Amino acid sequence: MVPYQKLETLSNPPSIILETVQVLQAKVNILAVAVLDQVEAWLQSVLGKVHEIAKHKATVQDADIQSKIHQTYETMQHWDPVASTLPDVVQRLVTLRDLHEQATQFGQVLMHLDTTQQEIVGALKANTMRLAEVQKTMKESLAVVEDNFVDIDARVKRLQK
């Protein structure tokens, strides 16, 4: 019975084996010379298109780079007159800075002088008041001294009599 079953299996192969054989047959057909020639021609065509795209991309990139270079050059041309005046502007700014520093110092000195003047005015007022008091006191003292001289003269005259 065993030999009979083997024979039956060979005459009716299972569907999986048939499918596998068909897949293998398709793969073999792909490897056929005519199909390979077609695939190679197709690949050469694709490779040629890739080279064309690369050349076009390089051309576009070169044009973009040239455009950027031109824009940069135009910008530099625009700023060239400004660049030539830049040292003068810097010198003016340095001079202005020095002038501002001097003005600040002058302002500080002026504030100090104003403060000193106010102190002097205050001291003069105080001294004027003290002088007035001294003059008043001197008048009073002089009056007392004159009275004393008058009294002394009167005593001397009394003593002389």
Side-chain angles (χ1 to χ4, degrees):
M1 271 214 149
V2 174
Y4 178 71
Q5 285 179 344
K6 285 184 182 180
L7 187 57
E8 188 177 296
T9 306
L10 286 176
S11 62
N12 284 333
S15 63
I16 293 175
I17 293 176
L18 283 177
E19 289 174 15
T20 305
V21 169
Q22 289 173 348
V23 168
L24 287 174
Q25 183 63 36
K27 287 182 180 180
V28 168
N29 287 342
I30 289 175
L31 294 177
V33 175
V35 174
L36 283 177
D37 288 339
Q38 288 177 351
V39 169
E40 185 178 355
W42 179 75
L43 286 175
Q44 287 299 328
S45 171
V46 169
L47 184 61
K49 288 181 182 182
V50 167
H51 285 300
E52 287 178 28
I53 290 171
K55 286 180 186 177
H56 180 68
K57 182 179 177 185
T59 304
V60 169
Q61 285 178 340
D62 286 345
D64 188 39
I65 289 171
Q66 288 299 325
S67 171
K68 288 180 181 177
I69 289 172
H70 180 70
Q71 287 175 349
T72 304
Y73 178 75
E74 290 296 321
T75 302
M76 294 304 291
Q77 289 295 90
H78 173 72
W79 285 102
D80 195 36
V82 174
S84 66
T85 61
L86 193 58
D88 293 337
V89 171
V90 169
Q91 183 59 39
R92 286 180 185 170
L93 289 173
V94 167
T95 303
L96 279 175
R97 184 193 64 200
D98 294 343
L99 184 62
H100 282 286
E101 287 175 0
Q102 289 175 357
T104 301
Q105 290 173 355
F106 179 75
Q108 291 171 348
V109 168
L110 192 60
M111 285 176 49
H112 178 69
L113 285 175
D114 186 47
T115 304
T116 305
Q117 183 182 8
Q118 289 175 1
E119 289 173 359
I120 290 172
V121 166
L124 281 174
K125 285 181 183 178
N127 287 341
T128 303
M129 289 173 55
R130 287 185 194 124
L131 179 62
E133 288 175 15
V134 166
Q135 285 176 345
K136 180 182 172 187
T137 306
M138 286 296 284
K139 280 183 182 179
E140 291 171 359
S141 296
L142 187 58
V144 169
V145 167
E146 284 178 356
D147 287 341
N148 287 340
F149 274 123
V150 169
D151 286 342
I152 291 176
D153 276 341
R155 282 185 190 171
V156 168
K157 284 182 183 179
R158 271 189 262 159
L159 290 173
Q160 284 179 351
K161 282 192 190 181

